[in-house]
Amino acid sequence: MPQIIYSPSKYIQGSGEIARLGAYCRDMGAKEACAIVDPYILSKYEQEIWSSFDSECIPLSLQVFQGECSQVQAERIAAELYQGSKGMIVGIGGGKTLDMAKAVSHFASLPVMLVPTVASTDAACSALAVLYHEPGEIDRYLPLRRSPDLVVADVTVIAGAPVRLLAAGMGDALSTYYEARACHRSGAVTSTGGTGTLAALALARTCLDTLLADGRQALEDVRAGRVTAAVEHIVEANIYLSGIGFESGGLAAAHAIHNGLTLLEECRGVLHGEKVAFATLVQLILEDAPEEEIREAAEFCRMAGLPVTLGELGLDGSDHERLMVAAEAGCTLADTPMTNMPFPVTPQQVLEAMLEADRRGAVLLSQPNGG
Ligand SMILES: [Zn+2]
């Protein structure tokens, strides 16, 4: 089995990057561009986006993206693009907007530049798009022919998004090292089709170290409207380190349990990274991880306002039958990453680990917060 690492060709992060998108397109040799933009971001940054392409004399067509990233919509936009275009697809917005840009670039066989405007998940760097049926249900994962050509993260734009989204991204990033480590131990095949590389594992470790070192300061700074080194480090951890770490290091119990939780409509208002954060604590308990490691991860979640109890996920800890629905699904859904764990995991073990995480979380919540 080969070891494989995927990565965007270029990753650029800085302040004011949204005004340089035209120059980045020019550097990639694009003669024209089609931008798919989130309506809120367009209302705030329309001037910067247009003038960055105007000043490079790159014709820009702009599509406001609303609704679902479905195959029908992606193929429609791809078909509308000029055949034989030397253009570049540009996605500017949150996860679904970026998925749409990825899917359009795939169907139109054109390069893609992704501009994440929130750091709530680690999906921007991956060679995967999630397609939905029009009403909002997941249709399928679309594996792309190649990783994004360019990912441009504007830290000032990301820092201006609601702080809950940055915290959720920290929850998604928290799982990365533990899942990559589990895959490394089991020799699991990642979504690249190979086993993980030492490089992906090292990036995942750096992701965790960065969260623990700078997470608290970054949240404080974003709340105060400051863009600091701590904020830059967390944006890199949430988007790049976690992105490479999950795709090429592999997913395991934390995302398997997350996927199970998505079946419970009580959790519907809970963000991806918030569910992943709690599921990470469950994975550590399943692994019988060192006490210090479990405590450190749980205290991090509490500090970041991420769920440490079932109640914070909207669930009733005494309704074991209901929790079993998620535990069961986490172990048995098609292609569940639970099978990447270094040992077999049963739904009963997941249920017990969820209850144990909840019990520990309740103790943590009853203690004064370290500030
Ligand atoms: Zn995730």
Side-chain angles (χ1 to χ4, degrees):
M1 182 59 70
Q3 289 85 57
I4 302 179
I5 186 163
Y6 281 11
S7 163
S9 304
K10 292 186 189 176
Y11 175 80
I12 297 170
Q13 175 181 306
S15 277
E17 299 301 324
I18 200 149
R20 299 186 192 108
L21 301 182
Y24 294 134
C25 270
R26 180 206 58 206
D27 292 347
M28 300 294 286
K31 302 277 187 272
E32 56 193 309
C34 166
I36 298 165
V37 192
D38 170 271
Y40 172 74
I41 290 299
L42 189 64
S43 72
K44 250 184 121 175
Y45 298 102
E46 182 163 10
Q47 183 58 41
E48 285 88 341
I49 294 169
W50 278 116
S51 59
S52 88
F53 284 88
D54 279 351
S55 61
E56 301 296 337
C57 302
I58 295 178
L60 175 70
S61 68
L62 218 146
Q63 300 249 1
V64 177
F65 174 68
Q66 265 160 324
E68 290 297 353
C69 175
S70 67
Q71 175 142 357
V72 177
Q73 270 221 65
E75 284 182 329
R76 181 183 56 74
I77 299 175
E80 280 168 15
L81 294 169
Y82 167 66
Q83 292 294 310
S85 162
K86 295 197 173 40
M88 185 146 199
I89 307 298
V90 183
I92 310 171
K96 285 189 182 183
T97 309
L98 301 190
D99 274 344
M100 181 54 114
K102 285 180 183 179
V104 170
S105 82
H106 178 81
F107 292 125
S109 295
L110 289 172
V112 66
M113 168 162 77
L114 299 174
V115 186
T117 55
V118 291
S120 56
T121 73
D122 54 17
C125 290
S126 76
L128 208 63
V130 187
L131 296 178
Y132 290 81
H133 290 298
E134 288 293 348
E137 244 168 74
I138 285 197
D139 171 11
R140 67 190 175 99
Y141 290 93
L142 174 70
L144 309 180
R145 278 178 220 98
R146 58 183 202 227
S147 298
D149 297 273
L150 188 57
V151 174
V152 180
D154 188 324
V155 181
T156 303
V157 172
I158 291 169
V163 70
R164 183 184 171 194
L165 297 176
L166 189 71
M170 288 162 61
D172 199 23
L174 177 67
S175 72
T176 306
Y177 172 66
Y178 302 121
E179 292 185 284
R181 181 178 69 181
C183 291
H184 183 70
R185 286 173 177 162
S186 68
V189 174
T190 73
S191 66
T192 64
T195 55
T197 59
L198 292 176
L201 188 64
L203 292 185
R205 178 72 231 191
T206 304
C207 180
L208 177 64
D209 292 344
T210 305
L211 294 176
L212 295 174
D214 293 318
R216 180 188 297 269
Q217 189 62 48
L219 289 175
E220 223 171 86
D221 291 341
V222 165
R223 281 193 195 98
R226 293 187 296 257
V227 175
T228 59
V231 176
E232 288 168 357
H233 294 168
I234 291 302
V235 168
E236 184 180 342
N238 286 12
I239 294 176
Y240 186 79
L241 297 172
S242 183
I244 311 293
F246 103 79
E247 185 171 43
S248 297
L251 296 175
H255 273 76
I257 294 162
H258 160 275
N259 295 346
L261 289 171
T262 59
L263 296 191
L264 307 181
E265 54 197 45
E266 303 92 296
C267 297
R268 210 138 278 180
V270 182
L271 300 172
H272 172 84
E274 293 171 336
K275 289 192 283 279
V276 170
F278 181 78
T280 301
L281 305 179
V282 180
Q283 173 175 327
L284 291 174
I285 290 167
L286 276 172
E287 289 178 311
D288 204 11
E291 196 54 40
E292 166 64 21
E293 194 170 76
I294 304 175
R295 196 179 48 76
E296 188 177 52
E299 283 176 356
F300 175 83
C301 289
R302 190 190 178 198
M303 176 284 295
L306 293 162
V308 293
T309 62
L310 292 164
E312 288 174 294
L313 291 170
L315 296 168
D316 173 1
S318 66
D319 190 348
H320 293 188
E321 215 171 294
R322 190 80 182 129
L323 297 174
M324 197 58 172
V325 172
E328 186 94 48
C331 295
T332 58
L333 282 174
D335 298 326
T336 178
M338 191 65 90
T339 54
N340 290 347
M341 292 296 282
F343 46 84
V345 179
T346 65
Q348 186 62 33
Q349 285 170 324
V350 173
L351 174 65
E352 281 164 21
M354 283 167 80
L355 295 172
E356 174 63 12
D358 177 59
R359 192 191 60 74
R360 286 163 178 260
V363 172
L364 196 59
L365 289 182
S366 71
Q367 292 164 355
N369 198 338

